[in-house]
Amino acid sequence: MERRAAGKRRRRGAALLAAVAVLGTAGWAAGAEEQPVTAPPPGSAAWRADTADGKHPPSPGAEPADVAAYFARLRDGGARLVHRHPLVAGNLDGAPPRLRYRANRMALRAERARQHARAKENDRAPTERTKARERAAHYGRLGTAGRQILAFDPRGRGQVAEVLGDLGRADRVAVLVPGADTDLARLEGHGADRYARPLGAAEALRAEMRRAAPGVRTAVVAWVGYTTPSGLGPDAATGRLAEAGAPRLTRFLDGLAAAGAPADAVFCHSYGSVVCGLAAHGTDAFRDLVVYGSPGVRADTAGELGSARLWVARSRGDWIGRVPHVDVGGLGHGADPTDRGFGARVVDTSGAEGHAGYLVPGTASLRNFASIALGRYTDVTCESGCRHG
């Protein structure tokens, strides 16, 4: 027995050494330990103390279905509450989307003004003033007419969710969950970086859905609603931030359903797939779960992730495939979801390059993702395990 225990320790040690070796050669870099944002938005106490039509509003932690029912009963639809408490109302899962858009435009204007004021304070360091000017400019862009910001929280590195399309009339709704090193400032990219960022990826997915099914009304949400690992260091190799982010994703998805726009498919990139794997245990608010560039989903088989269909994509050039799939002492994210024994549908990714090229126009992965989001499963091409039922 002692020999078996020693062998087990050696295997675990080898796995850890392999993980360290691969992380050192696969492009991973040391990152600062992040503190996840989990508390309700600033102003929540004043929100709870307020009244509308003689009733106290629901707590920011209330069930999204109860939030939706509350707003449906208000004579003014919640307009007064939005005016008095925009930051809370704009992040309230279950509230009507158009109300949240209006609230977040107000919150963005207020935060932009605050950052402008900080940039003019001469007692601040030049770097602080520069950052304040950059934030003010970014908040100004997010708050422009026509943009539909479904969530906005300036705390920490910032969180945001943006909607493309009409959630109220959509026949099919998809949600994108990003991986490490993503935050409010990295919602959108430009040039070659465009499709690696959440908004560009969402734009590409919706454009492909509309190309494939012109008569179907679609909406895609870029959700940057959790604290992601900064860099690809220890935070990315453990589940600490995913465990904090999963309940937030669950609430967000339940909020979409309560507002009449349930997500048909959720697409999760890299570390985001760890968040989605944990969230899948807590909600049945979506039919299809797609993980791509995934280091693991904190499960041993697809059957552990609830009733959603699980689709997996990994390009041949993605360095994530060289990361050992271990779960030892909190390090690693478990089994490889692309393994045949895991039980997922592994889709074709021809044309995709690297770790972030899955939603580039012209790739098989983008075409397949659009077919999944549309529920057109027979159009999906797979490398293995492609069951269309």
Side-chain angles (χ1 to χ4, degrees), residues 36 38 226 238-248 271 274-275 278 298 330:
T38 56
Y226 76 105
T238 66
R240 183 178 65 91
L241 295 180
E243 289 162 5
R248 297 177 69 85
Y271 191 84
V274 185
V275 178
L278 294 173
R298 296 263 156 167

Side-chain angles (χ1 to χ4, degrees), residues 270-358:
S270 195
Y271 191 84
S273 68
V274 185
V275 178
C276 292
L278 294 173
H281 295 284
T283 184
D284 57 0
F286 52 91
R287 300 186 185 99
D288 291 284
L289 175 60
V290 184
V291 302
Y292 53 106
S294 173
V297 292
R298 296 263 156 167
D300 293 323
T301 66
E304 296 178 18
L305 300 179
S307 59
R309 299 177 189 85
L310 179 64
W311 309 80
V312 180
R314 180 182 298 154
S315 70
R316 286 179 174 81
D318 190 341
W319 58 259
I320 202 75
R322 302 197 299 275
V323 173
H325 288 273
V326 298
D327 185 1
V328 181
L331 176 67
H333 303 300
D336 185 347
T338 66
D339 282 351
R340 187 177 297 273
F342 195 86
R345 300 159 172 86
V346 183
V347 307
D348 179 22
T349 60
S350 299
E353 297 182 359
H355 185 57
Y358 294 90

Side-chain angles (χ1 to χ4, degrees), residues 47 52-53 55-59 62-83 85 88-97 99-100 102-103 258-259:
W47 162 273
D53 291 343
K55 304 179 184 70
H56 287 287
S59 163
E63 289 297 318
D66 294 336
V67 173
Y70 170 80
F71 278 97
R73 292 193 298 266
L74 292 179
R75 285 196 295 266
D76 69 348
R80 284 177 291 173
L81 283 171
V82 166
H83 183 74
H85 313 281
V88 178
N91 290 285
L92 199 60
D93 294 312
L99 179 145
R100 293 178 68 174
R102 188 163 66 250

Side-chain angles (χ1 to χ4, degrees), residues 143-386:
T144 56
R147 297 192 72 164
Q148 300 177 134
I149 305 302
L150 193 61
F152 164 67
D153 190 334
R155 291 177 296 173
R157 286 159 45 214
Q159 298 178 4
V160 65
E162 183 163 2
V163 178
L164 304 175
D166 188 343
L167 274 179
R169 301 176 65 244
D171 301 312
R172 304 290 298 187
V173 176
V175 175
L176 269 61
V177 179
D181 226 20
T182 309
D183 49 34
L184 191 149
R186 296 178 176 88
L187 172 67
E188 51 201 318
H190 305 282
D193 191 42
R194 177 181 175 188
Y195 301 112
R197 296 299 184 192
L199 186 59
E203 289 170 342
L205 178 59
R206 184 163 184 258
E208 185 65 21
M209 292 171 70
R210 297 175 76 184
R211 185 200 64 78
V216 177
R217 295 171 297 192
T218 62
V220 179
V221 186
W223 183 79
V224 187
Y226 76 105
T227 302
T228 70
S230 180
L232 296 175
D235 275 345
T238 66
R240 183 178 65 91
L241 295 180
E243 289 162 5
R248 297 177 69 85
L249 177 59
T250 299
R251 280 189 56 81
F252 181 78
L253 295 173
D254 289 345
L256 289 179
D264 297 288
V266 179
F267 296 82
C268 315
H269 179 232
S270 195
Y271 191 84
S273 68
V274 185
V275 178
C276 292
L278 294 173
H281 295 284
T283 184
D284 57 0
F286 52 91
R287 300 186 185 99
D288 291 284
L289 175 60
V290 184
V291 302
Y292 53 106
S294 173
V297 292
R298 296 263 156 167
D300 293 323
T301 66
E304 296 178 18
L305 300 179
S307 59
R309 299 177 189 85
L310 179 64
W311 309 80
V312 180
R314 180 182 298 154
S315 70
R316 286 179 174 81
D318 190 341
W319 58 259
I320 202 75
R322 302 197 299 275
V323 173
H325 288 273
V326 298
D327 185 1
V328 181
L331 176 67
H333 303 300
D336 185 347
T338 66
D339 282 351
R340 187 177 297 273
F342 195 86
R345 300 159 172 86
V346 183
V347 307
D348 179 22
T349 60
S350 299
E353 297 182 359
H355 185 57
Y358 294 90
L359 286 117
V360 173
T363 59
S365 47
L366 177 58
R367 291 193 298 272
N368 284 322
F369 289 1
S371 295
I372 294 167
L374 290 165
R376 299 186 172 189
Y377 307 120
T378 56
D379 293 339
V380 180
T381 57
C382 287
E383 294 181 0
S384 66
C386 205

